[in-house]
Amino acid sequence: MFDLRDLYQETILDHNRRPRNRGSLADANRHAEGHNPLCGDQIRLTLLTENGRVKEIAFEGQGCAISTASASMMTEAILGKTVEEAEALFREFQEMVTCTGEPVEHPTLGELTVFEGVREHPVRIKCATLPWHALHAALSGTDSASTE
Ligand code: ZN
């Protein structure tokens, strides 16, 4: 059993209750879907990129509090970022939650560091990283309708 108090911090609970950027973009030029069979989380991400920058982003789907809050906070974090900056955040987030050594500072992740606690709960890591994997897939054009 994991300690809910450690994991479900106030920020996570808030984003789970009121997810930001929820929905689907009609004019998206990139999209991807993600599925975490371990927990049952499902996410569909739509993005509009313009001149190499994330102009709009939205997500929909069903999942646990961790995956929903992670998706919500991710959309806020990468809105307005360049594709390269978004990919860099993806790598850093991934590193933070999978790192097994001493905790390292991640100043560029800002509020996203609330997810650092999931490294103690391997089952939850996939919940937290699912939206980021979908983002990576969307940006690398795996499921993209983009002509860029
Ligand atoms: Zn989950």
Side-chain angles (χ1 to χ4, degrees), residues 36 39 41 64 124 127:
N36 171 19
C39 179
D41 309 313
C64 64
R124 294 284 149 190
C127 301

Side-chain angles (χ1 to χ4, degrees), residues 99-122:
C99 145
T100 50
E102 286 294 304
V104 218
E105 295 282 313
H106 292 280
T108 51
L109 288 178
E111 214 180 24
L112 295 169
T113 52
V114 295
F115 288 101
E116 192 164 23
V118 301
R119 21 182 254 147
E120 312 294 336
H121 313 281

Side-chain angles (χ1 to χ4, degrees), residues 3 24 44-45 53-55 60 86 102 107-108 110 120 123:
D3 191 339
S24 177
R44 182 166 185 273
L45 208 58
R53 208 171 268 279
V54 180
K55 202 180 167 204
E60 59 188 352
E102 286 294 304
T108 51
E120 312 294 336
V123 174

Side-chain angles (χ1 to χ4, degrees), residues 70-122:
S70 180
S72 172
M73 290 177 72
M74 178 190 79
T75 59
E76 285 200 318
I78 71 147
L79 190 63
K81 296 269 194 301
T82 65
V83 170
E84 289 74 25
E85 288 167 341
E87 289 280 23
L89 277 181
F90 159 66
R91 284 190 299 270
E92 195 170 352
F93 187 85
Q94 174 88 343
E95 206 175 280
M96 175 182 76
V97 296
T98 56
C99 145
T100 50
E102 286 294 304
V104 218
E105 295 282 313
H106 292 280
T108 51
L109 288 178
E111 214 180 24
L112 295 169
T113 52
V114 295
F115 288 101
E116 192 164 23
V118 301
R119 21 182 254 147
E120 312 294 336
H121 313 281

Side-chain angles (χ1 to χ4, degrees), residues 8 36 38-42 62-68 123-124 126-128 130:
Y8 292 76
N36 171 19
L38 275 180
C39 179
D41 309 313
Q42 284 186 313
Q62 289 185 325
C64 64
I66 296 287
S67 69
T68 303
V123 174
R124 294 284 149 190
K126 284 189 196 301
C127 301
L130 177 71

